[in-house]
């Protein structure tokens, strides 16, 4: 007579193996709703993280900047340019030169302390009466401390020193110990883990057959620095009664750089922010042309030549009126007067002689961008498009007279807004160069969406073009 | 229709269309599993919904090692048991442990094919704690030690509950067969 323990089990197992029952349709509706909510929550979380990170970075940077600018009144913008460069370059250097230190090959110490049995819930204590053997690991030694034998014939050990000297780094310290039953201890601990698992609704095998592995993060964060030479110029519009173009205006070549934070989603989208230093401005020149003894051409050459007035110089231009500091006003007036005297004397010999008065206007900003990036090609080299908006906080406003490759601050441009907004667009290329470090190269164009001047008659919108390069570290 | 691997990959990318395809493919089967474990249909629907949310939230962990059906079934059964534990924290413990050794069944050459709905009904009629142990042992293939770890009961209780479940089911099946043979 055959006996089979599990006939009834097999009946149900086989009978129900492919059993199906159609669930009501509203169950999928509920699931779909929950999944959509999860998707929305994830997007909001990404945006909030980005804004929080930008706010924190911006706050720290502005606080430092506030302290810095207060301690340096003159040439603040030039100093800040150098600092921003240093931050970008030193940050790049730190990342590039970061090397992992060699592993110490020595073993760790084995320390046995007197165990505390307070957490033992059982009445029976495993720590009774039996002995435990303590085995220490083999010691290994750093190579640098190993001195090989020296094969020297006729070696005389005059100092009684050994030929080889091995210096162990690890020690085995036994503070105190109690006698335990190792098998009982193992079972006790194993049961404790099982009880914990059950009481905490954790399940052991076979439901945990899947290998434990490190959970892959859904978002990747990268921090890096960028630097770029930039060329800036402007788009102007003014009312009919206000014609302010100088004799010759040109763009400004400067530098920009800063730190950025990139948050990459599992898809090709990523979100970027950061803190950058940027400079826009222009250069203009006016001829110091002789005309008549008491007249000279001012910056406003489209109108009639204006005589020198006692109220001061007129240096209007497309960006705005320059407010001279006291010393500069006097110096420029004296210069022009002297030049006129000179040119008046030589008017017969050099009627068409002209000299240029060159003024450079610089506006320095701290830029906080919020940029969305999409990876179009995601291979060894990642090609992406980026676009976004930036908030620009004015931190420097300077006008310089440029002469013989040196410049001297003469004042500032009036009526410049403290906060401005710009749109930014870039085409990025990046590639990993070593482990989690990536190199990026990105031409970018930035265009101010509002006029930087708060004048009603004159609108000035700068734009700048830069070739940004930098490196970043991607946390995985 | 896309094959299953493609659907899984798209679900890992949070593609809504792929998620719906996956649900439509496996929901009837998993709903049947829920019915086996739960005391009524309402509870089965709740567990099905919660189980699928967990499947979609954790599908990125599936590495295409092993059978996908087994993976999602485990998630669903885990969800059901977790739900039981929340509602009935002292559900599984028998006050009186019965250490009766199971008596082996006499080999039965009965080859009747039973309607799955009938089998469902028979399991549903079992007391909850017997049903759960029977499902885990007979349908999921767990050992008594594993059942005791999962449910927090002793192996003796697990064996006792299983034995009683089997007896009840066998009696009901026998009664049914006798009735059918009489009517025939």
């Amino acid at each position: 007579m055959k006996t089979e323990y599990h006939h009834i089990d097999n009946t149900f197992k086989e009978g129900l193996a492919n059993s199906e029952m159609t669930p009501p349709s509203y169950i999928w509706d509920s699931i779909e709703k929950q999944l959509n909510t999860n998707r929305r929550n994830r997007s909001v979380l990404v945006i909030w993280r980005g804004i929080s990170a930008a706010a924190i970075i911006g706050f720290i940077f502005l606080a430092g900047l506030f302290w810095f600018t207060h301690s340096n009144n003159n040439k603040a913008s030039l100093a800040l340019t150098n600092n921003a460069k240093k931050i970008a370059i030193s940050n790049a250097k730190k990342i590039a030169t970061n090397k992992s230190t060699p592993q110490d090959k020595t073993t760790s110490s084995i320390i046995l302390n007197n165990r505390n049995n307070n957490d033992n819930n059982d009445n029976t204590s495993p720590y009774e009466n039996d002995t435990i053997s303590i085995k220490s690991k083999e010691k290994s030694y750093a190579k640098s401390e190993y001195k090989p034998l020296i094969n020297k014939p006729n070696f005389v050990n005059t100092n009684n020193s050994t030929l080889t000297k091995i210096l162990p780094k690890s020690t085995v310290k036994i503070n105190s110990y109690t006698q335990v039953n190792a098998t009982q201890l193992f079972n006790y601990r194993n049961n404790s883990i099982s009880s914990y698992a059950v009481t905490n609704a954790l399940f052991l095998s076979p439901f945990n057959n899947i290998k434990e592995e490190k959970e892959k993060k859904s978002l990747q964060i990268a921090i890096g620095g960028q630097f770029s030479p930039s060329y800036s110029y402007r788009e102007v519009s003014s009312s009919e009664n206000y014609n302010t173009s100088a004799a010759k205006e040109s763009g400004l070549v400067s530098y920009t750089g800063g730190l950025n934070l990139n948050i990459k989603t599992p898809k090709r989208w990523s979100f970027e922010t950061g803190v950058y230093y940027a400079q826009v401005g222009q250069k203009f020149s006016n001829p110091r042309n002789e005309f008549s003894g008491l007249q000279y051409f001012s910056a406003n050459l489209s109108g009639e030549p204006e005589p020198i007035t006692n109220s001061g110089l007129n240096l209007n231009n497309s960006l705005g009126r320059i407010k001279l500091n006291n010393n500069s006003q006097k110096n420029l007036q004296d210069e022009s007067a002297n030049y006129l005297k000179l040119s008046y004397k030589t008017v017969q010999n050099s009627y068409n002689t002209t000299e240029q008065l060159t003024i450079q206007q610089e506006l320095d900003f701290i830029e906080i961008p919020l940029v969305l990036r999409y990876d179009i090609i995601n291979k060894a080299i990642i090609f992406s498009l980026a676009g976004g908006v930036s908030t620009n906080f004015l931190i420097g406003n300077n006008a310089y007279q440029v002469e013989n490759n040196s410049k001297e601050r003469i004042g500032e441009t009036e009526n410049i807004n403290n906060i401005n907004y710009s749109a930014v667009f870039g085409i990025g290329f990046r590639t990993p160069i070593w482990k989690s470090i990536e190199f990026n190269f990105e031409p970018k164009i930035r265009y101010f969406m509002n006029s930087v001047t708060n004048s009603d008659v004159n609108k000035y919108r700068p734009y700048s073009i830069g070739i940004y390069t930098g490196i970043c570290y991607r946390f995985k | 229709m896309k094959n299953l691997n493609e659907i899984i990959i798209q679900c890992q990318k949070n593609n809504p269309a792929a998620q719906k395809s996956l649900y439509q493919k496996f929901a009837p089967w998993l709903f049947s599993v829920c019915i086996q474990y739960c005391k009524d249909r309402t509870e089965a629907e709740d567990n099905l919904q919660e189980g699928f949310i967990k499947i979609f939230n954790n599908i990125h962990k599936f590495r295409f090692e092993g059978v996908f059906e087994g993976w999602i079934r485990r998630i669903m059964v885990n969800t059901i048991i977790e739900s039981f534990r929340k509602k009935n924290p002292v559900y599984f413990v028998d006050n009186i442990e019965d250490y009766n050794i199971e008596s082996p069944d006499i080999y039965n050459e009965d080859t009747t094919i039973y309607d799955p709905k009938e089998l469902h009904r028979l399991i549903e009629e079992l007391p909850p704690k017997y049903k759960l142990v029977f499902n885990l042992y007979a349908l999921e293939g767990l050992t008594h030690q594993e059942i005791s770890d999962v449910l927090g009961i002793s192996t003796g209780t697990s064996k006792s509950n299983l034995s009683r479940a089997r007896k009840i089911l066998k009696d009901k099946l026998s009664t049914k067969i006798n009735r059918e043979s009489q009517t025939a």
Side-chain angles (χ1 to χ4, degrees):
Chain A
M1 178 186 304
K2 282 188 182 178
T3 59
E4 186 171 319
Y5 284 92
H6 306 303
H7 170 69
I8 195 79
D9 296 351
N10 286 340
T11 301
F12 280 86
K13 187 172 183 178
E14 286 162 11
L16 294 172
N18 297 318
S19 161
E20 290 186 353
M21 295 176 74
T22 306
S25 59
Y26 56 77
I27 292 183
W28 169 248
D29 297 335
S30 302
I31 293 171
E32 192 179 30
K33 195 176 168 186
Q34 182 66 36
L35 292 173
N36 288 338
T37 305
N38 290 351
R39 266 184 224 110
R40 266 198 303 273
N41 288 345
R42 262 182 246 127
S43 307
V44 167
L45 192 62
V46 165
I47 291 171
W48 273 115
R49 281 180 185 168
I51 291 173
S52 304
I56 290 168
I57 291 169
F59 177 75
I60 292 170
F61 203 90
L62 284 174
L65 196 62
F66 180 75
W67 173 84
F68 181 79
T69 51
H70 268 252
S71 60
N72 285 307
N73 287 329
N74 292 330
K75 296 183 182 178
S77 62
L78 189 59
L80 193 61
T81 307
N82 290 335
N83 279 338
K85 276 195 289 184
K86 284 176 186 172
I87 290 167
I89 293 171
S90 66
N91 198 37
K93 276 186 182 173
K94 276 181 193 171
I95 293 170
T97 58
N98 186 23
K99 293 178 185 173
S100 58
T101 54
Q103 293 279 338
D104 186 5
K105 293 183 182 176
T106 58
T107 60
S108 57
S109 302
I110 302 170
I111 299 174
L112 295 180
N113 294 312
N114 212 4
R115 286 192 179 273
N116 186 355
N117 289 344
N118 289 337
D119 61 345
N120 186 354
N121 293 324
D122 288 339
N123 290 326
T124 58
S125 166
Y127 306 108
E128 288 180 354
N129 297 327
D130 297 330
T131 57
I132 186 171
S133 60
I134 301 167
K135 291 183 183 177
S136 63
K137 294 180 185 175
E138 287 182 7
K139 297 175 187 175
S140 63
Y141 307 101
K143 281 186 182 176
S144 60
E145 295 184 1
Y146 180 73
K147 297 179 184 176
L149 280 169
I150 302 168
N151 287 325
K152 274 190 175 178
N154 302 321
F155 175 79
V156 176
N157 188 352
T158 57
N159 296 323
N160 290 323
S161 62
T162 55
L163 294 178
T164 62
K165 191 175 178 187
I166 298 172
L167 301 174
K169 278 194 177 179
S170 65
T171 57
V172 175
K173 272 195 249 183
I174 301 174
N175 295 336
S176 63
Y177 68 92
T178 55
Q179 295 176 341
V180 296
N181 182 323
T183 305
Q184 211 170 350
L185 174 63
F186 174 78
N187 287 335
Y188 170 74
R189 285 296 179 197
N190 207 25
N191 288 337
S192 302
I193 291 167
S194 304
S195 304
Y196 174 81
V198 168
T199 54
N200 287 278
L202 300 173
F203 299 106
L204 304 178
S205 62
F207 292 91
N208 290 331
N209 284 338
I210 300 168
K211 289 178 190 174
E212 287 183 11
E213 56 185 5
K214 200 173 179 182
E215 188 177 339
K216 202 173 177 183
K217 290 181 183 173
S218 55
L219 298 173
Q220 286 185 349
I221 294 177
I223 294 178
Q226 280 188 320
F227 174 76
S228 167
S230 73
Y231 172 79
S232 68
Y233 202 25
R234 83 292 188 269
E235 190 181 290
V236 294
S237 62
S238 56
S239 63
E240 288 178 3
N241 297 330
Y242 188 76
N243 196 335
T244 59
S245 59
K248 181 182 170 188
E249 287 187 356
S250 61
L252 186 68
V253 176
S254 61
Y255 301 95
T256 181
L259 301 175
N260 58 47
L261 172 75
N262 176 283
I263 300 170
K264 190 174 180 312
T265 64
K267 297 185 178 180
R268 292 168 179 246
W269 291 98
S270 57
F271 176 79
E272 276 184 14
T273 185
V275 179
Y276 285 81
Y277 165 80
Q279 186 180 75
V280 297
Q282 66 175 11
K283 202 185 277 189
F284 70 86
S285 300
N286 296 312
R288 285 178 176 154
N289 205 350
E290 68 283 358
F291 187 74
S292 64
L294 293 176
Q295 285 181 326
Y296 74 101
F297 282 110
S298 71
N300 185 6
L301 286 181
S302 57
E304 292 296 320
E306 294 182 0
I308 299 173
T309 64
N310 290 330
S311 62
L313 300 168
N314 186 357
L315 292 173
N316 282 347
N317 54 81
S318 57
L319 178 55
R321 187 185 181 91
I322 295 177
K323 181 182 169 189
L324 297 171
N325 54 34
N326 292 335
N327 287 340
S328 299
Q329 185 164 4
K330 185 177 182 312
N331 291 340
L332 278 172
Q333 280 179 324
D334 290 344
E335 265 180 34
S336 297
N338 288 337
Y339 177 73
L340 278 172
K341 287 176 188 172
L342 188 64
S343 63
Y344 186 69
K345 285 178 184 175
T346 58
V347 63
Q348 291 174 334
N349 294 329
S350 56
Y351 179 76
N352 288 325
T353 300
T354 57
E355 288 284 344
Q356 300 289 329
L357 173 66
T358 303
I359 305 294
Q360 182 165 305
Q361 294 166 292
E362 294 174 0
L363 300 177
D364 305 318
F365 292 97
I366 288 292
E367 180 190 355
I368 309 269
L370 293 177
V371 170
L372 201 59
R373 182 178 297 280
Y374 183 77
D375 294 341
I376 293 176
I377 298 174
N378 203 355
K379 304 281 185 193
I381 295 179
I382 301 152
F383 169 67
S384 63
L385 293 178
V389 294
S390 298
T391 305
N392 300 276
F393 300 93
L394 183 71
I395 58 169
N397 179 357
N398 300 292
Y400 299 92
Q401 180 188 0
V402 180
E403 198 166 18
N404 299 327
N405 293 326
S406 68
K407 60 182 188 180
E408 183 186 342
R409 189 175 187 275
I410 60 172
E412 64 180 32
T413 309
E414 292 180 338
N415 301 321
I416 301 295
N417 293 324
N418 286 326
I419 299 177
N420 298 278
Y421 301 96
S422 59
V424 61
F425 176 74
I427 300 172
F429 300 88
R430 71 177 188 274
T431 181
I433 52 174
W434 186 62
K435 290 187 181 178
S436 296
I437 297 172
E438 294 178 349
F439 168 79
N440 54 71
F441 170 85
E442 184 171 17
K444 252 192 247 183
I445 183 165
R446 199 167 80 250
Y447 178 75
F448 276 68
M449 296 187 292
N450 65 299
S451 172
V452 296
T453 67
N454 53 33
S455 161
D456 292 331
V457 294
N458 183 34
K459 303 293 179 192
Y460 188 104
R461 289 189 183 86
Y463 59 82
S464 67
I465 300 168
I467 308 289
Y468 289 73
T469 55
I471 53 177
C472 70
Y473 183 84
R474 191 166 294 278
F475 296 93
K476 290 180 182 173
Chain B
M1 187 176 172
K2 293 179 184 175
N3 66 38
L4 179 59
N5 284 350
E6 284 177 27
I7 294 174
I8 294 169
I9 289 169
Q10 288 302 315
C11 285
Q12 289 175 340
K13 296 178 182 176
N14 269 322
N15 184 323
Q19 287 170 338
K20 188 169 185 181
S21 293
L22 195 78
Y23 174 83
Q24 286 169 342
K25 189 175 171 60
F26 291 107
W29 172 58
L30 288 175
F31 189 51
S32 168
V33 172
C34 292
I35 294 281
Q36 291 165 26
Y37 280 87
C38 300
K39 69 173 188 285
D40 54 37
R41 204 174 172 93
T42 306
E43 195 176 305
E45 289 172 5
D46 291 342
N47 284 319
L48 180 73
Q49 180 181 330
E50 200 176 326
F52 261 102
I53 299 284
K54 283 192 181 174
I55 288 169
F56 289 129
N57 285 342
N58 290 288
I59 198 166
H60 61 278
K61 295 180 186 174
F62 182 70
R63 302 292 174 204
F64 298 93
E65 299 163 354
V67 180
F68 182 70
E69 285 84 345
W71 188 77
I72 59 174
R73 186 185 175 112
R74 277 196 290 268
I75 291 178
M76 191 59 68
V77 172
N78 280 356
T79 306
I80 293 167
I81 295 176
E82 204 173 305
S83 156
F84 278 174
R85 294 188 68 86
K86 281 179 191 169
K87 289 175 188 171
N88 304 288
V90 291
Y91 189 75
F92 306 107
V93 177
D94 256 348
N95 288 328
I96 302 168
E97 289 186 359
D98 186 343
Y99 291 92
N100 289 339
I101 298 169
E102 301 171 44
S103 53
D105 294 335
I106 306 294
Y107 177 67
N108 190 346
E109 290 188 358
D110 171 33
T111 55
T112 308
I113 297 173
Y114 296 96
D115 181 19
K117 286 185 183 173
E118 185 67 28
L119 296 175
H120 266 299
R121 189 184 63 78
L122 291 174
I123 287 185
E124 269 185 81
E125 288 171 2
L126 283 175
K129 42 196 171 184
Y130 299 165
K131 173 165 62 177
L132 192 56
V133 172
F134 179 80
N135 281 332
L136 290 175
Y137 188 91
L139 304 185
E140 305 300 332
L142 271 67
T143 62
H144 288 295
Q145 181 61 47
E146 288 162 347
I147 292 173
S148 72
D149 292 337
V150 165
L151 301 182
I153 56 177
S154 66
T155 53
T157 304
S158 175
K159 289 176 184 173
S160 166
N161 287 350
L162 177 68
S163 175
R164 290 173 185 173
R166 279 175 175 164
K167 190 171 185 316
I168 294 171
L169 290 171
K170 189 184 167 193
D171 289 344
K172 288 191 175 180
L173 281 174
S174 301
T175 306
K176 183 178 180 310
I177 291 168
N178 290 338
R179 207 179 292 150
E180 283 174 1
S181 60
Q182 281 173 2
T183 55

